[in-house]
Amino acid sequence: MKVLVATEKPFAPVAVEGIRAEVEKAGAELVLLEKYTDRSQLLEAVADADALIVRSDKVTADVFDAARNLKIVVRAGAGYDNIDLQAATAHGVVVENTPGQNSNAVAELALGMMVMAARNMYDGTSGTELKGKRLGIQAFGQVGRNVARIASGFGMEVSAVDPFCPADVMVAAGVRPVKDVPELYINSEVVSINIPATPETVRSIGYDLITSMPKKAILVNTARKEVIDEEGLMRALADRSDIKYMSDIRPDCAEELLEKFPGRVFFTPKKMGAQTAEANINAGIAAARQCIAFLRDGIDRFRVN
Ligand code: 3PG
């Protein structure tokens, strides 16, 4: 049994050791392909793998075509928009994610970005505090719930919207449920975007929502760049010089935004919300266990296809 870990953005070494221990304990072999620069390396490495563990690496039809023995792909993380589920199913390959395993790390970064924006990107000028500010969380999933928990510690007034989460779950967490996305944006001085990229959410946040936010609003995106309508964002930032946009992953129009709106936009060079030793260990080891559980016992509890 061969388990391939293919990560263009590698896990922390301590997490790789944990993954290795899980795989070898089950009598399987671990193959590592880290920081690959060419897709051909992935296609070659996957050829005889029984299981594949990835992060945001693109797993598309060419990978499934090349992987003759592949039975399972585990995305060590939450969002699986990088995996072609149809192609996986067509090839009889199970796809799983590891929900919740890296969500605290992403939530901590979201709060870090809020502080950074509120303190004017640490430029030495007088900023504002988060305490008492209204925070709107767009989607109350694993990351959203962690954002709410940490934000409550900051003394923020937290509300959330999520069509898939019952209102009483939010209320139990001390969060005010809001009926729809427009209401969330209108009322929130800070919005934390924590939605997955799906056909419904892609380019769903644009000019109207952003410009509906209160004065001096901060928009924090630790989800996916695809959920933003970048042309609308650009116009919103131009029309509203009080708004700031913080994103964990560079938008396609990053250069233009940085040039036009200095001090009001910030982007991480590479998605780093889940880039902590703890998140890597949690998600990596969960992924390894899920691969083994499926290969050995057919358990597919976290299957998404
Ligand atoms: C996720 O969906 O789990 C996060 O976006 C983290 O992605 P990463 O593993 O590529 O950092």
Side-chain angles (χ1 to χ4, degrees):
M1 257 178 353
K2 243 183 205 178
V3 179
L4 171 67
V5 173
T7 46
E8 182 265 317
K9 182 176 64 183
F11 291 118
V14 61
V16 175
E17 284 325 301
I19 295 170
R20 184 183 299 286
E22 290 296 328
V23 170
E24 291 180 354
K25 193 167 72 186
E29 184 193 342
L30 180 78
V31 181
L32 261 188
L33 175 68
E34 294 182 318
K35 293 191 190 168
Y36 56 93
T37 46
D38 197 287
R39 230 169 142 70
S40 62
Q41 296 170 272
L42 172 60
L43 299 184
E44 197 180 315
V46 84
D48 60 350
D50 297 281
L52 171 64
I53 296 174
V54 293
R55 296 185 63 178
S56 288
D57 309 75
K58 295 238 175 312
V59 186
T60 40
D62 54 341
V63 175
F64 294 108
D65 287 339
R68 290 179 300 276
N69 295 342
L70 195 64
K71 293 154 194 83
I72 180 166
V73 177
V74 181
R75 191 283 192 244
Y80 45 88
D81 47 309
N82 52 318
I83 314 227
D84 184 337
L85 296 187
Q86 266 191 340
T89 306
H91 284 78
V93 177
V94 166
V95 179
E96 299 189 0
N97 66 348
T98 64
Q101 299 290 349
N102 60 16
S103 46
N104 179 66
V106 179
E108 286 191 10
L109 186 75
L111 267 292
M113 284 180 154
M114 288 175 209
V115 174
M116 186 177 177
R119 297 303 183 98
N120 303 327
M121 313 296 181
Y122 308 130
D123 69 355
T125 62
S126 182
T128 56
E129 299 180 22
L130 296 179
K131 186 177 177 187
K133 297 291 184 305
R134 296 189 303 274
L135 168 67
I137 302 178
Q138 190 177 0
F140 207 60
Q142 303 273 2
V143 178
R145 289 168 207 211
N146 277 287
V147 169
R149 173 180 55 78
I150 304 168
S152 303
F154 272 79
M156 300 184 86
E157 282 175 32
V158 186
S159 56
V161 69
D162 190 331
F164 304 104
C165 177
D168 57 350
V169 172
M170 295 182 193
V171 174
V175 171
R176 189 174 70 89
V178 163
K179 85 170 180 321
D180 57 25
V181 173
E183 190 185 326
L184 189 86
Y185 277 73
I186 284 173
N187 289 312
S188 304
E189 292 151 308
V190 183
V191 167
S192 177
I193 303 172
N194 303 115
I195 48 176
T198 65
E200 292 75 39
T201 64
V202 165
R203 283 191 296 281
S204 64
I205 301 161
Y207 183 85
D208 291 347
L209 282 178
I210 299 169
T211 53
S212 76
M213 292 177 77
K215 263 218 108 24
K216 297 199 168 162
I218 299 169
L219 182 59
V220 176
N221 181 8
T222 54
R224 291 288 182 271
K225 68 175 180 179
E226 287 82 4
V227 301
I228 302 290
D229 162 11
E230 292 192 5
E231 186 269 328
L233 169 69
M234 186 90 67
R235 278 196 295 127
L237 289 171
D239 285 4
R240 287 278 306 272
S241 60
D242 57 309
I243 290 181
K244 294 193 181 108
Y245 179 62
M246 314 289 284
S247 178
D248 180 25
I249 193 166
R250 289 171 76 81
D252 293 334
C253 63
E255 291 309 323
E256 201 178 338
L257 287 173
L258 287 162
E259 196 190 307
K260 283 189 173 158
F261 311 112
R264 294 173 48 211
V265 291
F266 173 81
F267 317 120
T268 52
K270 219 169 216 201
K271 185 156 57 108
M272 57 178 294
Q275 218 31 346
T276 66
E278 293 88 340
N280 289 172
I281 291 168
N282 293 343
I285 291 179
R289 287 185 180 154
Q290 288 171 218
C291 286
I292 299 300
F294 181 73
L295 292 177
R296 216 170 39 189
D297 305 314
I299 297 169
D300 62 355
R301 182 168 160 220
F302 295 102
R303 186 172 186 159
V304 295
N305 67 331

